Amino acid sequence: MTTDDTSISVQRTIDAPAKDIFEVLTNPERHAELDGSGFVRSDERTNRIGKVGDVFTMNMEGDHMGGEYQTDNHVTAFDENKMVGWQTAPAGTEPKGWEWLWELEPQGPDSTLVTHTYDWGKVTDEALLAKNLFPLVSESQLEDSLNNLAGASAS
């Protein structure tokens, strides 16, 4: 685990090949089952993530947004079987600077070290920063996401 003023990273070795884990991560239909924060409810568009620049929409719920809302997730990192990441924004708006990144490092044919990072270091909107929302997701919630990914990758 690594935490600094603008990011949190957690790691776990998962007993599954990187390609199987990547298949789960790049399928927005599966993100609700992975989410350790409890915010993600379902995907709105079910296209698999395929490249940097893709956008997928998620149905969300949280008190910080007054209940139900949607996010557009702009893919910022994509390296097949190695890395996928996106910046999140309220639906219909441009990303505000926080990013989710998943990095996969094979540890053999059936084992992968997964690093999950939540980074808000690119947020520049002073009004948003003044609300003290960051970090919106805790280290333990990121660890829960890794645990959920381990279960999802085994099935």
Side-chain angles (χ1 to χ4, degrees):
M1 188 280 304
T2 306
T3 302
D4 63 28
D5 290 342
T6 61
S7 70
I8 302 170
S9 291
V10 294
Q11 288 186 321
R12 176 185 169 159
T13 299
I14 295 178
D15 294 330
K19 68 176 183 57
D20 293 353
I21 296 169
F22 194 77
E23 284 291 312
V24 172
L25 291 172
T26 57
N27 183 354
E29 288 182 6
R30 305 221 38 204
H31 287 194
E33 74 183 279
L34 304 180
D35 176 41
S37 72
F39 296 139
V40 179
R41 296 295 179 237
S42 63
D43 71 306
E44 184 66 21
R45 299 182 193 141
T46 58
N47 294 336
R48 180 172 295 281
I49 298 167
K51 65 185 183 314
V52 169
D54 283 355
V55 177
F56 62 97
T57 301
M58 302 301 292
N59 298 310
M60 312 285 286
E61 185 173 352
D63 292 341
H64 64 287
M65 292 291 285
E68 294 182 4
Y69 63 101
Q70 285 187 324
T71 60
D72 288 340
N73 300 279
H74 300 253
V75 178
T76 55
F78 187 92
D79 189 354
E80 191 165 351
N81 301 329
K82 295 179 183 177
M83 179 188 323
V84 64
W86 51 87
Q87 286 192 8
T88 301
T93 69
E94 289 300 311
K96 307 294 186 221
W98 59 93
E99 185 170 36
W100 305 95
L101 183 65
W102 297 87
E103 297 171 276
L104 311 178
E105 190 176 321
Q107 303 295 294
D110 295 316
S111 182
T112 305
L113 177 63
V114 180
T115 303
H116 184 30
T117 301
Y118 167 44
D119 184 337
W120 59 97
K122 296 175 187 166
V123 174
T124 58
D125 183 324
E126 292 300 325
L128 193 58
L129 290 169
K131 292 180 182 181
N132 291 319
L133 293 174
F134 301 102
L136 186 60
V137 176
S138 70
E139 175 187 335
S140 66
Q141 290 170 317
L142 290 177
E143 289 171 346
D144 288 346
S145 292
L146 278 178
N147 292 337
N148 294 343
L149 177 60
S153 298
S155 59

